[in-house]
Amino acid sequence: MTELLRGTRPVVMGVLNVTPDSFSDGGRYADLDAAVEHGVRLYQEGADLIDVGGESTRPGAVRVDAETESARVLPVVRALAAAGVPMSIDTTRSAVADAALAAGASVVNDVSGGLADPLMRTVVAAAGCPWILMHWRGHSDRMQDLAHYHDVVGEVRTELAARVDDALAAGVAADKIIVDPGIGFAKRPEHNWRLTANLSDLISLGYPVLFAASRKSYLGRLLTDAAGTPRPVDQRAAATIATSVLAVAAGAWGVRVHDVRDTVDALAVWQASGSPRVGPAESDGGHR
C-alpha cells in the first residue's frame, strides 16, 4: 500500500456501487455474484483499487441505515478479498469502515472528510490505513443548497486543510492522508471547472490528490445536444477520460472512474508521451 500511495504512476480506482440508486449504475451490481464479477473485471482491466460503496451519495439521495449499508458491502468485500482484489471502502460511517477493514478492505474513502462521523478518525488511526478525505459540506439531500462560494478554490483548499488538521490531531499519520476536492458535492458546474483548472492549488497542500469526476452531471450538461438535452450518463466516458488525463497531468495522485480500461489506456498514452504536465489556468481576477 505504501507503494500505491507514493508511487510514480497515477492510481486508478474502479467504482463498484452495490446500491439500487446510484446515479450511474444503480442496481446493476446489487446482486453479490454480479458485484464480485464486476469488481474482479475492473481489477483485471487495470484498477489499482476497487472502491466498494453501499450508500448512494448522488444529489438528493436519501440515507440508508448502517445495517443496510453493511449488509450490502461486507459480503462483497470478503469475496473480493478472497479473490486477491485490493479495495477501498466508500463510507462515511466508522462502524462500516471498521467492519470492511476487518473483512479485507485496505483504504477508507470518506466523502465527508470525517465530518459525518467523528469516530471515523479513531477507526482510521487505529487501523493505520490510508484515508481519503473529500471536501464536503453536507449530506446528499441538502448538499446542493450549500454550493455557495466567493472563492471556490481557496475555500475548498482551506476546508480540506482543516480536515487534514483534524486527522493529524487524531493520530492519523501524515503519509496515510489523501485529499479529494469533491467534484459535484456542494458544487455547481462552474465550481467543478474552476477546481479542475486549479488543481495545483490543492496539490500545494502537500498531500496526494484524488480526482473523481466520472460520469457526473456537469459533464452531461457540457455535452448537450441541439435541443439542450444533457448527454446521458452512459455516454460520458470520453469526457470523463479527458478530465482524468488533465487531472493527472496537473499532478493528481489518482482518479476514481467507472470506465477503467479506457482510462488505463489513456493514461498509458500520457505516460508514453513523456507524462507532460499542465499548469493552472490563467487568473481571471478570482476563483468564483
Side-chain angles (χ1 to χ4, degrees):
M1 191 54 61
T2 300
E3 180 181 350
L4 189 66
L5 285 173
R6 299 291 183 254
T8 58
R9 66 177 182 81
V11 168
V12 175
M13 293 176 64
V15 178
L16 178 55
N17 293 317
V18 289
T19 58
D21 58 343
S22 292
F23 81 94
S24 178
D25 49 18
R28 290 185 64 187
Y29 309 115
D31 173 77
L32 176 60
D33 290 342
V36 173
E37 179 183 359
H38 188 60
V40 170
R41 182 185 308 117
L42 292 178
Y43 181 54
Q44 292 173 339
E45 289 178 351
D48 299 286
L49 284 172
I50 305 303
D51 194 39
V52 182
E55 181 179 37
S56 176
T57 52
R58 62 177 174 77
V62 177
R63 298 211 74 189
V64 299
D65 57 45
E67 291 74 18
T68 299
E69 185 183 358
S70 293
R72 290 173 178 175
V73 300
L74 293 181
V76 176
V77 170
R78 293 189 189 102
L80 289 176
V85 176
M87 287 163 288
S88 51
I89 179 66
D90 179 359
T91 185
T92 63
R93 291 188 169 101
S94 60
V96 176
D98 195 29
L101 290 169
S106 54
V107 177
V108 173
N109 182 17
D110 182 353
V111 300
S112 81
L115 289 173
D117 184 347
L119 293 177
M120 183 69 88
R121 64 197 68 172
T122 303
V123 167
V124 172
C129 68
W131 190 12
I132 300 170
L133 301 169
M134 197 192 80
H135 177 263
W136 184 86
R137 286 187 165 181
H139 287 291
S140 298
D141 59 350
R142 66 186 187 94
M143 65 181 179
Q144 292 311 102
D145 295 333
L146 305 173
H148 300 288
Y149 303 89
H150 173 69
D151 173 358
V152 64
V153 178
E155 289 170 54
V156 167
R157 188 185 191 282
T158 296
E159 291 168 34
L160 277 176
R163 302 288 71 75
V164 169
D165 288 345
D166 287 346
L168 294 173
V172 178
D175 63 359
K176 300 294 185 183
I177 293 174
I178 301 159
V179 296
D180 178 340
I183 296 295
F185 287 78
K187 314 286 190 311
R188 304 191 190 285
E190 61 269 26
H191 300 143
N192 297 326
W193 292 119
R194 179 58 63 185
L195 288 164
T196 301
N198 292 276
L199 274 182
S200 59
D201 286 27
L202 305 181
I203 292 167
S204 70
L205 284 168
Y207 296 91
V209 172
L210 176 69
F211 188 82
S214 187
R215 299 182 181 177
K216 290 185 176 178
S217 62
Y218 80 110
L219 299 178
R221 292 177 189 175
L222 174 71
L223 306 172
T224 55
D225 62 19
T229 303
R231 186 74 59 83
V233 170
D234 62 354
Q235 296 177 30
R236 300 173 190 169
T240 295
I241 292 164
T243 66
S244 296
V245 172
L246 285 171
V248 167
W253 162 81
V255 293
R256 180 183 182 273
V257 297
H258 297 81
D259 301 289
V260 167
R261 184 185 297 278
D262 289 343
T263 301
V264 169
D265 288 352
L267 293 177
V269 171
W270 173 76
Q271 289 178 291
S273 302
S275 302
R277 296 290 178 178
V278 297
E282 291 186 10
S283 173
D284 60 0
H287 294 313
R288 295 176 181 83

